[in-house]
Amino acid sequence: MPTREVGRTADVSFEDLGIVPAICSALVEMGFEEPSPIQVQAVPALLAGRDVVGQAQTGTGKTAAFAIPALQRLSADGPRPQVLVLTPTRELALQVAEEVSRIGAHIGAREAAIYGGQPIERQIRALRAGVDVVVGTPGRLLDHLRRATLRLSGIRFVVLDEGDEMLDMGFIDDIETILQALPEGRQTALFSATVPPPIQRLTQRYLRDPIVLRATPEHLVAPLIEQAYYEVRGMDRATALCRILDVEDISRAIVFCRTKRGVDELAAVLQARGYPCEAIHGDMAQPQRDRAMARFRDGAGELLVATDVAARGLDIEGVSHVINYDIAQSPEQHVHRIGRTGRAGRAGIALTLIGPREWKQLRAFAEVTGARIVRRIVPTEADVALAARDSFRRQLAEALQADDLGAFVDLAQELAEEYPAVRVAAAAIKIAMDGARPAAEAAGAAERDHGGDGRAGPRQSPGDSQRLFVNVGSRQGVQAADVVRAVGAGTGLPPAAVSAVDVHEDFTFIEVPRDQAAAAIAGLRRWRVAGRPVNAEPARPRGSG
Ligand code: ADP
Ligand code: MG
Protein backbone atom coordinates (compact mmCIF):
# COMPACT_ATOMS: atom_id res chain seq x y z
CA MET A 1 0.00 0.00 0.00
CA PRO A 2 1.38 3.40 -0.86
CA THR A 3 1.74 5.63 2.13
CA ARG A 4 1.59 9.36 1.90
CA GLU A 5 3.21 11.42 4.52
CA VAL A 6 1.14 14.29 5.68
CA GLY A 7 3.41 17.17 6.28
CA ARG A 8 3.10 20.88 6.38
CA THR A 9 0.68 22.32 3.95
CA ALA A 10 1.02 25.88 2.94
CA ASP A 11 -1.97 28.06 2.18
CA VAL A 12 -4.54 25.57 1.03
CA SER A 13 -8.12 26.72 1.45
CA PHE A 14 -11.23 24.61 1.98
CA GLU A 15 -12.41 25.66 -1.49
CA ASP A 16 -9.15 24.34 -2.96
CA LEU A 17 -10.05 20.90 -1.65
CA GLY A 18 -13.18 20.79 -3.78
CA ILE A 19 -15.60 21.39 -0.94
CA VAL A 20 -18.97 22.79 -2.02
CA PRO A 21 -19.91 26.35 -0.97
CA ALA A 22 -22.72 25.20 1.34
CA ILE A 23 -20.19 23.30 3.43
CA CYS A 24 -17.44 25.93 3.14
CA SER A 25 -19.78 28.54 4.56
CA ALA A 26 -20.63 26.25 7.48
CA LEU A 27 -16.91 25.82 8.16
CA VAL A 28 -16.50 29.58 8.15
CA GLU A 29 -19.31 29.88 10.67
CA MET A 30 -17.58 27.30 12.82
CA GLY A 31 -14.59 29.60 12.81
CA PHE A 32 -12.29 27.28 10.89
CA GLU A 33 -9.74 29.32 8.99
CA GLU A 34 -7.99 26.68 6.96
CA PRO A 35 -7.92 22.90 6.70
CA SER A 36 -5.65 20.94 9.01
CA PRO A 37 -2.95 18.75 7.38
CA ILE A 38 -4.98 15.54 7.65
CA GLN A 39 -7.98 17.34 6.14
CA VAL A 40 -5.90 18.59 3.23
CA GLN A 41 -4.99 15.00 2.36
CA ALA A 42 -8.08 13.06 3.31
CA VAL A 43 -10.86 15.28 1.98
CA PRO A 44 -9.94 15.13 -1.73
CA ALA A 45 -9.24 11.40 -1.54
CA LEU A 46 -12.58 10.68 0.08
CA LEU A 47 -14.41 13.06 -2.25
CA ALA A 48 -12.91 11.08 -5.13
CA GLY A 49 -14.48 7.95 -3.70
CA ARG A 50 -11.31 6.33 -2.41
CA ASP A 51 -11.02 4.29 0.77
CA VAL A 52 -8.71 6.00 3.24
CA VAL A 53 -6.68 5.09 6.30
CA GLY A 54 -5.95 8.33 8.12
CA GLN A 55 -3.46 8.27 10.93
CA ALA A 56 -2.99 11.47 12.87
CA GLN A 57 -2.76 12.46 16.49
CA THR A 58 -5.67 13.44 18.66
CA GLY A 59 -6.92 16.94 18.05
CA THR A 60 -5.78 17.14 14.44
CA GLY A 61 -9.27 17.49 13.00
CA LYS A 62 -9.95 13.94 11.88
CA THR A 63 -13.70 14.31 12.42
CA ALA A 64 -14.12 17.04 9.82
CA ALA A 65 -11.71 15.12 7.55
CA PHE A 66 -14.36 12.45 7.11
CA ALA A 67 -17.53 14.39 7.94
CA ILE A 68 -17.02 16.91 5.12
CA PRO A 69 -16.76 14.35 2.29
CA ALA A 70 -19.39 12.09 3.87
CA LEU A 71 -21.88 14.95 3.84
CA GLN A 72 -20.89 16.22 0.44
CA ARG A 73 -21.34 12.77 -1.08
CA LEU A 74 -24.86 12.31 0.29
CA SER A 75 -27.33 11.81 -2.49
CA ALA A 76 -30.68 13.46 -2.04
CA ASP A 77 -32.80 10.61 -3.32
CA GLY A 78 -30.85 7.62 -2.02
CA PRO A 79 -32.16 5.30 0.70
CA ARG A 80 -31.43 6.26 4.29
CA PRO A 81 -29.20 6.16 6.19
CA GLN A 82 -26.31 6.52 3.78
CA VAL A 83 -23.47 7.17 6.20
CA LEU A 84 -22.47 5.14 9.24
CA VAL A 85 -19.79 6.30 11.69
CA LEU A 86 -18.58 3.92 14.39
CA THR A 87 -17.11 5.52 17.50
CA PRO A 88 -15.73 3.94 20.67
CA THR A 89 -17.69 5.93 23.26
CA ARG A 90 -20.93 7.73 23.80
CA GLU A 91 -19.11 11.04 24.27
CA LEU A 92 -17.38 10.66 20.94
CA ALA A 93 -20.63 9.65 19.26
CA LEU A 94 -22.21 12.85 20.55
CA GLN A 95 -19.22 14.96 19.58
CA VAL A 96 -19.07 13.55 16.08
CA ALA A 97 -22.83 13.92 15.61
CA GLU A 98 -22.55 17.52 16.76
CA GLU A 99 -19.75 18.25 14.30
CA VAL A 100 -21.71 16.53 11.50
CA SER A 101 -24.70 18.67 12.34
CA ARG A 102 -22.69 21.87 12.25
CA ILE A 103 -20.85 21.02 9.02
CA GLY A 104 -24.11 19.92 7.42
CA ALA A 105 -26.07 22.93 8.65
CA HIS A 106 -26.69 24.31 5.15
CA ILE A 107 -27.29 21.08 3.30
CA GLY A 108 -30.16 19.96 5.46
CA ALA A 109 -28.57 16.66 6.45
CA ARG A 110 -30.03 14.83 9.41
CA GLU A 111 -27.98 12.81 11.85
CA ALA A 112 -28.59 10.66 14.90
CA ALA A 113 -26.29 9.56 17.69
CA ILE A 114 -26.94 5.98 18.75
CA TYR A 115 -25.27 4.81 21.93
CA GLY A 116 -25.85 2.65 24.95
CA GLY A 117 -27.42 4.17 28.01
CA GLN A 118 -30.05 6.15 26.15
CA PRO A 119 -33.58 4.72 25.94
CA ILE A 120 -33.68 2.62 22.80
CA GLU A 121 -37.23 3.69 21.94
CA ARG A 122 -36.14 7.25 21.43
CA GLN A 123 -33.42 6.07 19.03
CA ILE A 124 -35.89 3.86 17.19
CA ARG A 125 -38.17 6.85 16.69
CA ALA A 126 -35.27 8.94 15.42
CA LEU A 127 -34.18 6.22 13.00
CA ARG A 128 -37.71 5.68 11.77
CA ALA A 129 -38.12 9.40 11.11
CA GLY A 130 -35.25 9.07 8.65
CA VAL A 131 -31.67 10.19 9.12
CA ASP A 132 -28.82 10.53 6.65
CA VAL A 133 -25.94 9.94 9.00
CA VAL A 134 -25.89 7.49 11.91
CA VAL A 135 -23.11 7.89 14.46
CA GLY A 136 -22.98 5.15 17.03
CA THR A 137 -21.13 2.86 19.36
CA PRO A 138 -20.75 -0.75 18.15
CA GLY A 139 -22.74 -2.44 20.89
CA ARG A 140 -25.84 -0.36 20.53
CA LEU A 141 -25.65 -0.45 16.74
CA LEU A 142 -25.64 -4.25 16.86
CA ASP A 143 -28.65 -4.09 19.13
CA HIS A 144 -30.53 -2.11 16.52
CA LEU A 145 -29.44 -4.49 13.79
CA ARG A 146 -30.82 -7.44 15.73
CA ARG A 147 -34.08 -5.63 16.26
CA ALA A 148 -34.10 -4.66 12.61
CA THR A 149 -34.61 -1.05 13.63
CA LEU A 150 -31.52 -0.01 11.68
CA ARG A 151 -31.13 -1.00 8.05
CA LEU A 152 -27.70 -0.94 6.53
CA SER A 153 -28.67 -1.62 2.95
CA GLY A 154 -28.41 2.05 2.00
CA ILE A 155 -24.99 2.65 3.57
CA ARG A 156 -22.50 3.96 1.00
CA PHE A 157 -19.94 5.47 3.32
CA VAL A 158 -18.69 3.97 6.56
CA VAL A 159 -16.16 5.41 8.97
CA LEU A 160 -14.32 3.66 11.77
CA ASP A 161 -13.38 6.55 13.98
CA GLU A 162 -10.65 6.34 16.62
CA GLY A 163 -9.83 2.79 15.55
CA ASP A 164 -7.20 2.21 18.21
CA GLU A 165 -9.56 3.19 20.99
CA MET A 166 -12.19 0.82 19.65
CA LEU A 167 -9.59 -1.92 19.77
CA ASP A 168 -8.68 -1.00 23.34
CA MET A 169 -12.30 -1.21 24.33
CA GLY A 170 -12.68 -4.69 22.91
CA PHE A 171 -14.99 -3.75 20.05
CA ILE A 172 -13.05 -5.42 17.29
CA ASP A 173 -15.42 -8.39 16.88
CA ASP A 174 -18.48 -6.16 16.96
CA ILE A 175 -16.91 -3.98 14.32
CA GLU A 176 -16.25 -6.95 12.08
CA THR A 177 -19.84 -8.12 12.47
CA ILE A 178 -21.10 -4.71 11.44
CA LEU A 179 -18.66 -4.41 8.53
CA GLN A 180 -19.77 -7.81 7.23
CA ALA A 181 -23.38 -6.66 7.27
CA LEU A 182 -22.63 -3.64 5.10
CA PRO A 183 -23.31 -3.54 1.38
CA GLU A 184 -20.48 -4.35 -1.02
CA GLY A 185 -19.11 -1.46 -2.96
CA ARG A 186 -19.43 1.03 -0.15
CA GLN A 187 -16.66 3.45 0.67
CA THR A 188 -14.73 2.85 3.88
CA ALA A 189 -12.49 5.10 5.93
CA LEU A 190 -10.58 4.40 9.10
CA PHE A 191 -9.19 7.14 11.32
CA SER A 192 -6.95 6.52 14.24
CA ALA A 193 -4.12 8.09 16.19
CA THR A 194 -2.09 4.88 15.93
CA VAL A 195 -2.45 1.78 13.77
CA PRO A 196 -1.63 -1.30 15.85
CA PRO A 197 -1.50 -4.69 14.05
CA PRO A 198 -5.13 -5.76 14.64
CA ILE A 199 -6.32 -2.47 13.15
CA GLN A 200 -3.89 -2.93 10.29
CA ARG A 201 -5.43 -6.38 9.61
CA LEU A 202 -8.88 -4.85 9.72
CA THR A 203 -7.94 -2.34 7.04
CA GLN A 204 -6.50 -5.12 4.88
CA ARG A 205 -9.67 -7.14 5.10
CA TYR A 206 -12.30 -4.47 4.78
CA LEU A 207 -10.81 -1.55 2.87
CA ARG A 208 -10.38 -1.61 -0.89
CA ASP A 209 -7.02 -0.39 -2.09
CA PRO A 210 -6.95 2.37 0.50
CA ILE A 211 -4.87 5.50 0.36
CA VAL A 212 -2.85 5.48 3.56
CA LEU A 213 -2.19 8.88 5.04
CA ARG A 214 0.14 9.18 7.92
CA ALA A 215 0.97 12.35 9.75
CA THR A 216 4.46 11.43 10.84
CA PRO A 217 6.07 14.65 11.82
CA GLU A 218 9.61 15.12 10.64
CA HIS A 219 12.03 15.56 13.42
CA LEU A 220 11.32 18.91 14.88
CA VAL A 221 13.48 21.00 17.09
CA ALA A 222 11.63 22.99 19.67
CA PRO A 223 13.20 26.29 20.56
CA LEU A 224 15.06 26.17 23.82
CA ILE A 225 12.55 27.82 26.00
CA GLU A 226 10.81 26.89 29.17
CA GLN A 227 7.60 24.98 28.56
CA ALA A 228 4.85 24.17 31.01
CA TYR A 229 1.26 23.02 30.89
CA TYR A 230 -1.80 23.39 33.06
CA GLU A 231 -4.55 20.83 33.14
CA VAL A 232 -7.75 22.81 33.45
CA ARG A 233 -10.55 21.05 35.22
CA GLY A 234 -13.28 22.17 37.57
CA MET A 235 -13.16 25.72 36.25
CA ASP A 236 -13.59 27.40 32.93
CA ARG A 237 -10.59 28.01 30.75
CA ALA A 238 -10.93 31.79 30.76
CA THR A 239 -10.76 31.88 34.55
CA ALA A 240 -7.68 29.67 34.49
CA LEU A 241 -6.07 31.96 31.94
CA CYS A 242 -6.83 35.08 33.98
CA ARG A 243 -5.27 33.56 37.07
CA ILE A 244 -2.18 32.64 35.09
CA LEU A 245 -1.97 36.15 33.66
CA ASP A 246 -2.26 37.52 37.18
CA VAL A 247 0.69 35.61 38.59
CA GLU A 248 3.01 35.49 35.59
CA ASP A 249 5.48 38.26 35.07
CA ILE A 250 4.40 39.13 31.56
CA SER A 251 5.85 41.84 29.39
CA ARG A 252 4.04 40.74 26.26
CA ALA A 253 2.07 37.60 25.54
CA ILE A 254 0.51 36.04 22.47
CA VAL A 255 -2.49 33.89 23.30
CA PHE A 256 -3.40 31.35 20.62
CA CYS A 257 -6.93 30.16 19.95
CA ARG A 258 -7.95 27.52 17.44
CA THR A 259 -10.75 29.43 15.73
CA LYS A 260 -11.68 32.96 14.78
CA ARG A 261 -14.73 32.77 16.95
CA GLY A 262 -12.55 31.56 19.80
CA VAL A 263 -10.38 34.67 19.38
CA ASP A 264 -13.38 37.00 19.40
CA GLU A 265 -14.89 35.36 22.44
CA LEU A 266 -11.72 35.22 24.45
CA ALA A 267 -10.87 38.82 23.60
CA ALA A 268 -14.36 39.85 24.73
CA VAL A 269 -14.06 38.01 28.00
CA LEU A 270 -10.57 39.36 28.69
CA GLN A 271 -11.70 42.92 27.95
CA ALA A 272 -14.72 42.54 30.18
CA ARG A 273 -12.60 41.25 33.00
CA GLY A 274 -10.27 44.19 32.75
CA TYR A 275 -7.42 42.70 30.74
CA PRO A 276 -6.98 44.99 27.77
CA CYS A 277 -5.95 42.99 24.74
CA GLU A 278 -5.63 43.12 21.00
CA ALA A 279 -7.12 40.46 18.76
CA ILE A 280 -6.29 39.36 15.24
CA HIS A 281 -7.76 36.74 12.95
CA GLY A 282 -8.36 36.13 9.30
CA ASP A 283 -11.84 37.67 9.17
CA MET A 284 -10.58 41.08 10.11
CA ALA A 285 -9.81 43.61 7.42
CA GLN A 286 -6.11 44.21 6.92
CA PRO A 287 -6.10 47.81 8.21
CA GLN A 288 -7.86 46.64 11.35
CA ARG A 289 -5.30 43.89 11.84
CA ASP A 290 -2.45 46.33 11.24
CA ARG A 291 -3.83 48.69 13.86
CA ALA A 292 -4.12 45.91 16.42
CA MET A 293 -0.58 44.78 15.63
CA ALA A 294 0.75 48.32 15.90
CA ARG A 295 -0.84 48.75 19.32
CA PHE A 296 0.61 45.44 20.45
CA ARG A 297 4.05 46.23 19.04
CA ASP A 298 4.42 49.63 20.57
CA GLY A 299 3.36 48.43 23.94
CA ALA A 300 -0.12 49.89 24.22
CA GLY A 301 -1.43 46.36 24.55
CA GLU A 302 0.35 43.61 26.35
CA LEU A 303 -1.87 40.73 25.24
CA LEU A 304 -2.48 39.64 21.68
CA VAL A 305 -5.14 37.00 21.10
CA ALA A 306 -4.63 35.37 17.71
CA THR A 307 -5.36 32.47 15.43
CA ASP A 308 -2.44 30.61 13.91
CA VAL A 309 -3.12 31.93 10.45
CA ALA A 310 -3.28 35.55 11.55
CA ALA A 311 -0.12 35.22 13.62
CA ARG A 312 1.80 33.54 10.82
CA GLY A 313 4.91 35.40 9.86
CA LEU A 314 4.66 37.92 12.65
CA ASP A 315 7.96 38.77 14.19
CA ILE A 316 7.48 40.66 17.38
CA GLU A 317 10.16 41.70 19.80
CA GLY A 318 9.93 41.15 23.49
CA VAL A 319 7.26 38.48 23.68
CA SER A 320 7.82 37.01 27.12
CA HIS A 321 5.02 34.44 26.89
CA VAL A 322 3.26 32.34 24.33
CA ILE A 323 0.08 30.91 25.77
CA ASN A 324 -1.72 28.09 24.01
CA TYR A 325 -5.26 28.72 25.16
CA ASP A 326 -6.24 25.96 22.74
CA ILE A 327 -3.61 23.32 22.20
CA ALA A 328 -2.00 23.28 18.73
CA GLN A 329 -3.25 20.84 16.11
CA SER A 330 0.13 19.43 15.16
CA PRO A 331 3.64 19.37 16.56
CA GLU A 332 4.68 21.70 13.73
CA GLN A 333 2.06 24.19 14.74
CA HIS A 334 3.10 23.93 18.37
CA VAL A 335 6.73 24.56 17.50
CA HIS A 336 5.72 27.41 15.27
CA ARG A 337 3.72 29.05 18.00
CA ILE A 338 6.22 28.75 20.77
CA GLY A 339 8.97 30.07 18.51
CA ARG A 340 7.34 33.50 18.88
CA THR A 341 8.86 33.92 22.29
CA GLY A 342 12.40 33.82 23.52
CA ARG A 343 13.83 35.51 20.49
CA ALA A 344 17.24 37.08 20.27
CA GLY A 345 18.69 35.17 23.15
CA ARG A 346 16.13 36.34 25.64
CA ALA A 347 14.31 33.87 27.81
CA GLY A 348 10.75 33.10 26.92
CA ILE A 349 8.16 30.79 28.24
CA ALA A 350 5.42 28.78 26.55
CA LEU A 351 2.36 27.75 28.53
CA THR A 352 -0.27 25.33 27.28
CA LEU A 353 -3.74 24.84 28.70
CA ILE A 354 -5.07 21.34 28.23
CA GLY A 355 -8.33 19.57 28.89
CA PRO A 356 -8.50 15.98 30.08
CA ARG A 357 -8.58 14.61 26.53
CA GLU A 358 -5.58 16.57 25.31
CA TRP A 359 -2.96 14.99 27.46
CA LYS A 360 -1.86 12.48 24.82
CA GLN A 361 -1.47 15.20 22.27
CA LEU A 362 0.74 17.24 24.53
CA ARG A 363 2.89 14.23 25.27
CA ALA A 364 3.29 13.63 21.56
CA PHE A 365 4.50 17.21 21.08
CA ALA A 366 7.05 16.71 23.82
CA GLU A 367 8.24 13.45 22.28
CA VAL A 368 8.53 14.71 18.74
CA THR A 369 10.38 17.83 19.74
CA GLY A 370 12.43 16.30 22.51
CA ALA A 371 11.27 19.05 24.79
CA ARG A 372 10.41 18.86 28.44
CA ILE A 373 7.01 20.24 29.26
CA VAL A 374 6.57 20.47 32.99
CA ARG A 375 3.30 20.35 34.81
CA ARG A 376 1.99 23.34 36.68
CA ILE A 377 -1.09 23.81 38.78
CA VAL A 378 -3.52 26.58 37.90
CA PRO A 379 -3.03 29.33 40.48
CA THR A 380 -5.69 29.61 43.15
CA GLU A 381 -7.32 32.86 44.15
CA ALA A 382 -4.99 32.87 47.13
CA ASP A 383 -1.97 32.53 44.83
CA VAL A 384 -3.24 35.46 42.81
CA ALA A 385 -3.69 37.59 45.91
CA LEU A 386 -0.22 36.66 47.05
CA ALA A 387 1.27 37.54 43.68
CA ALA A 388 -0.48 40.91 43.74
CA ARG A 389 0.90 41.51 47.20
CA ASP A 390 4.43 40.57 46.17
CA SER A 391 4.33 42.70 43.11
CA PHE A 392 2.99 45.64 45.10
CA ARG A 393 5.72 45.13 47.63
CA ARG A 394 8.36 45.24 44.91
CA GLN A 395 6.90 48.42 43.51
CA LEU A 396 6.80 49.98 46.91
CA ALA A 397 10.41 48.99 47.58
CA GLU A 398 11.42 50.62 44.31
CA ALA A 399 9.54 53.79 45.17
CA LEU A 400 11.26 53.87 48.57
CA GLN A 401 14.65 53.85 46.84
CA ALA A 402 13.79 56.76 44.61
CA ASP A 403 14.47 60.39 45.55
CA ASP A 404 11.29 61.84 44.15
CA LEU A 405 9.03 61.37 47.15
CA GLY A 406 9.41 64.97 48.23
CA ALA A 407 5.85 66.21 47.85
CA PHE A 408 4.45 63.04 49.37
CA VAL A 409 6.78 63.15 52.34
CA ASP A 410 5.17 66.35 53.58
CA LEU A 411 1.73 64.81 53.52
CA ALA A 412 3.00 61.64 55.17
CA GLN A 413 4.57 63.66 57.95
CA GLU A 414 1.40 65.65 58.44
CA LEU A 415 -0.59 62.43 58.74
CA ALA A 416 1.99 60.81 60.99
CA GLU A 417 1.49 63.57 63.53
CA GLU A 418 -2.16 62.69 63.72
CA TYR A 419 -2.07 58.87 63.35
CA PRO A 420 0.43 56.08 63.99
CA ALA A 421 2.82 55.93 61.02
CA VAL A 422 2.17 52.24 60.39
CA ARG A 423 -1.54 52.88 60.09
CA VAL A 424 -0.92 55.72 57.69
CA ALA A 425 1.15 53.43 55.50
CA ALA A 426 -1.42 50.64 55.76
CA ALA A 427 -4.22 52.97 54.72
CA ALA A 428 -2.20 54.19 51.75
CA ILE A 429 -1.54 50.60 50.70
CA LYS A 430 -5.21 49.75 51.04
CA ILE A 431 -6.22 52.62 48.78
CA ALA A 432 -3.54 51.75 46.26
CA MET A 433 -4.36 48.05 46.14
CA ASP A 434 -8.16 48.25 46.27
CA GLY A 435 -8.68 51.16 44.01
CA ALA A 436 -9.54 50.29 40.48
CA ARG A 437 -7.31 52.67 38.67
CA PRO A 438 -9.05 55.08 36.37
CA ALA A 439 -8.70 53.65 32.88
CA ALA A 440 -7.17 56.79 31.40
CA GLU A 441 -4.35 56.89 33.88
CA ALA A 442 -3.61 53.19 33.80
CA ALA A 443 -3.66 53.07 30.04
CA GLY A 444 -0.47 55.13 30.04
CA ALA A 445 1.89 52.90 28.14
CA ALA A 446 4.91 53.96 30.14
CA GLU A 447 3.71 52.15 33.24
CA ARG A 448 3.31 48.80 31.66
CA ASP A 449 6.81 47.52 32.13
CA HIS A 450 6.12 45.89 35.44
CA GLY A 451 4.30 42.66 34.81
CA GLY A 452 1.14 42.58 36.78
CA ASP A 453 0.69 46.28 37.36
CA GLY A 454 -0.58 49.44 35.84
CA ARG A 455 -3.45 47.94 33.90
CA ALA A 456 -6.60 49.57 32.74
CA GLY A 457 -9.56 49.49 35.05
CA PRO A 458 -12.68 47.48 34.38
CA ARG A 459 -14.86 48.28 31.46
CA GLN A 460 -17.17 50.86 32.97
CA SER A 461 -20.79 49.88 33.12
CA PRO A 462 -23.15 52.74 32.53
CA GLY A 463 -24.93 54.12 35.56
CA ASP A 464 -25.03 52.10 38.67
CA SER A 465 -25.00 48.65 37.20
CA GLN A 466 -22.44 45.92 37.60
CA ARG A 467 -21.40 43.63 34.80
CA LEU A 468 -21.16 39.98 35.81
CA PHE A 469 -19.40 37.09 34.16
CA VAL A 470 -21.25 33.75 34.27
CA ASN A 471 -19.37 30.65 33.17
CA VAL A 472 -22.10 28.94 31.14
CA GLY A 473 -23.31 29.71 27.65
CA SER A 474 -25.07 28.43 24.58
CA ARG A 475 -22.89 25.36 24.31
CA GLN A 476 -24.28 24.24 27.66
CA GLY A 477 -27.78 24.86 26.32
CA VAL A 478 -28.21 28.08 28.27
CA GLN A 479 -30.45 30.83 26.94
CA ALA A 480 -30.84 34.41 28.09
CA ALA A 481 -34.11 33.63 29.84
CA ASP A 482 -32.49 30.86 31.89
CA VAL A 483 -29.91 33.27 33.26
CA VAL A 484 -32.53 35.84 34.18
CA ARG A 485 -34.57 33.13 35.86
CA ALA A 486 -31.56 31.87 37.80
CA VAL A 487 -30.82 35.35 39.11
CA GLY A 488 -34.45 35.85 40.08
CA ALA A 489 -34.74 32.49 41.78
CA GLY A 490 -31.91 33.25 44.14
CA THR A 491 -32.72 36.85 44.91
CA GLY A 492 -36.27 37.83 44.08
CA LEU A 493 -34.84 40.37 41.64
CA PRO A 494 -37.44 41.12 38.97
CA PRO A 495 -36.44 40.09 35.45
CA ALA A 496 -36.27 43.75 34.44
CA ALA A 497 -33.39 44.30 36.86
CA VAL A 498 -31.21 42.07 34.75
CA SER A 499 -30.13 43.94 31.68
CA ALA A 500 -27.83 43.37 28.74
CA VAL A 501 -27.80 39.57 28.80
CA ASP A 502 -25.11 38.56 26.36
CA VAL A 503 -24.92 34.79 25.84
CA HIS A 504 -21.72 33.47 24.22
CA GLU A 505 -20.75 29.89 23.52
CA ASP A 506 -19.15 29.14 26.86
CA PHE A 507 -20.06 32.11 29.01
CA THR A 508 -22.57 34.88 29.48
CA PHE A 509 -22.41 38.49 30.58
CA ILE A 510 -25.23 40.19 32.39
CA GLU A 511 -25.70 43.50 34.10
CA VAL A 512 -27.48 43.98 37.40
CA PRO A 513 -27.90 46.96 39.74
CA ARG A 514 -24.64 47.40 41.57
CA ASP A 515 -26.18 47.05 45.02
CA GLN A 516 -27.76 43.75 44.00
CA ALA A 517 -24.63 42.26 42.45
CA ALA A 518 -23.65 40.21 45.49
CA ALA A 519 -27.12 38.72 45.77
CA ALA A 520 -27.23 37.98 42.05
CA ILE A 521 -23.87 36.21 42.26
CA ALA A 522 -25.05 34.15 45.21
CA GLY A 523 -28.21 33.25 43.29
CA LEU A 524 -26.28 32.26 40.18
CA ARG A 525 -23.89 30.14 42.21
CA ARG A 526 -26.83 28.10 43.49
CA TRP A 527 -27.85 27.37 39.91
CA ARG A 528 -26.96 23.99 38.38
CA VAL A 529 -26.53 23.45 34.66
CA ALA A 530 -26.32 19.82 33.59
CA GLY A 531 -25.82 18.91 37.22
CA ARG A 532 -22.82 21.17 37.65
CA PRO A 533 -22.64 24.30 39.76
CA VAL A 534 -22.34 27.57 37.94
CA ASN A 535 -19.85 30.27 38.79
CA ALA A 536 -20.49 33.97 38.54
CA GLU A 537 -18.21 36.84 39.33
CA PRO A 538 -17.94 40.53 38.68
CA ALA A 539 -16.24 41.38 35.43
CA ARG A 540 -13.51 43.15 37.29
CA PRO A 541 -10.04 44.58 37.03
CA ARG A 542 -7.24 42.14 37.47
CA GLY A 543 -5.19 42.04 40.58
CA SER A 544 -7.96 43.22 42.87
CA GLY A 545 -8.41 39.84 44.49
P1 ADP B 1 -9.33 14.35 16.30
O1 ADP B 1 -10.51 13.51 15.93
O2 ADP B 1 -8.24 14.33 15.30
O3 ADP B 1 -8.84 14.08 17.68
P2 ADP B 1 -11.22 16.51 16.21
O4 ADP B 1 -11.81 16.20 14.91
O5 ADP B 1 -12.00 16.12 17.42
O6 ADP B 1 -9.76 15.88 16.33
O7 ADP B 1 -10.86 18.06 16.23
C1 ADP B 1 -10.34 18.70 17.37
C2 ADP B 1 -10.88 20.12 17.44
O8 ADP B 1 -10.39 20.88 16.35
C3 ADP B 1 -12.39 20.20 17.34
O9 ADP B 1 -12.83 21.18 18.27
C4 ADP B 1 -12.65 20.68 15.94
O10 ADP B 1 -13.86 21.39 15.83
C5 ADP B 1 -11.44 21.54 15.68
N1 ADP B 1 -11.06 21.62 14.27
C6 ADP B 1 -11.07 20.63 13.36
N2 ADP B 1 -10.63 21.07 12.17
C7 ADP B 1 -10.32 22.37 12.33
C8 ADP B 1 -9.81 23.39 11.46
N3 ADP B 1 -9.52 23.14 10.18
N4 ADP B 1 -9.61 24.62 11.97
C9 ADP B 1 -9.90 24.87 13.28
N5 ADP B 1 -10.39 23.98 14.14
C10 ADP B 1 -10.60 22.73 13.69
MG1 MG C 1 -11.52 12.07 16.65
Side-chain angles (χ1 to χ4, degrees), residues 33 260 264 279-295 310:
E33 282 192 310
K260 295 179 274 200
D264 283 337
I280 54 167
H281 59 61
D283 266 0
M284 293 166 57
Q286 195 59 42
Q288 206 182 351
R289 260 203 254 182
D290 292 345
R291 271 198 301 278
M293 282 313 303
R295 282 192 298 265

Side-chain angles (χ1 to χ4, degrees), residues 169-192:
M169 298 189 59
F171 286 143
I172 199 112
D173 294 341
D174 289 352
I175 293 171
E176 288 215 34
T177 310
I178 294 169
L179 285 171
Q180 282 159 8
L182 289 169
E184 294 280 319
R186 65 171 193 261
Q187 188 176 0
T188 308
L190 178 137
F191 285 86
S192 192

Side-chain angles (χ1 to χ4, degrees), residues 440-455:
E441 175 204 308
E447 302 189 0
R448 306 188 151 271
D449 298 352
H450 310 282
D453 306 297
R455 292 162 206 285

Side-chain angles (χ1 to χ4, degrees), residues 439-520:
E441 175 204 308
E447 302 189 0
R448 306 188 151 271
D449 298 352
H450 310 282
D453 306 297
R455 292 162 206 285
R459 185 141 105 197
Q460 292 301 313
S461 301
D464 255 350
S465 61
Q466 167 75 53
R467 209 166 137 85
L468 302 180
F469 171 87
V470 188
N471 71 340
V472 286
S474 57
R475 215 203 297 252
Q476 290 78 38
V478 166
Q479 296 180 351
D482 303 327
V483 185
V484 175
R485 215 175 299 123
V487 172
T491 57
L493 275 179
V498 183
S499 56
V501 180
D502 186 8
V503 180
H504 293 246
E505 256 189 16
D506 291 310
F507 52 84
T508 300
F509 289 116
I510 61 169
E511 279 180 24
V512 295
R514 195 170 292 282
D515 55 355
Q516 307 271 14

Side-chain angles (χ1 to χ4, degrees), residues 114-188:
I114 300 291
Y115 48 84
Q118 196 192 41
I120 200 155
E121 288 74 25
R122 196 188 306 172
Q123 297 172 351
I124 292 173
R125 273 199 302 278
L127 290 171
R128 202 175 288 149
V131 293
D132 302 291
V133 179
V134 170
V135 184
T137 50
R140 184 51 73 95
L141 286 172
L142 278 178
D143 220 0
H144 281 282
L145 287 183
R146 285 190 208 104
R147 292 165 183 250
T149 45
L150 170 64
R151 282 187 316 143
L152 298 182
S153 54
I155 299 289
R156 300 150 49 127
F157 196 115
V158 62
V159 182
L160 310 177
D161 191 23
E162 310 290 354
D164 50 0
E165 285 190 38
M166 292 213 269
L167 177 70
D168 290 347
M169 298 189 59
F171 286 143
I172 199 112
D173 294 341
D174 289 352
I175 293 171
E176 288 215 34
T177 310
I178 294 169
L179 285 171
Q180 282 159 8
L182 289 169
E184 294 280 319
R186 65 171 193 261
Q187 188 176 0
T188 308

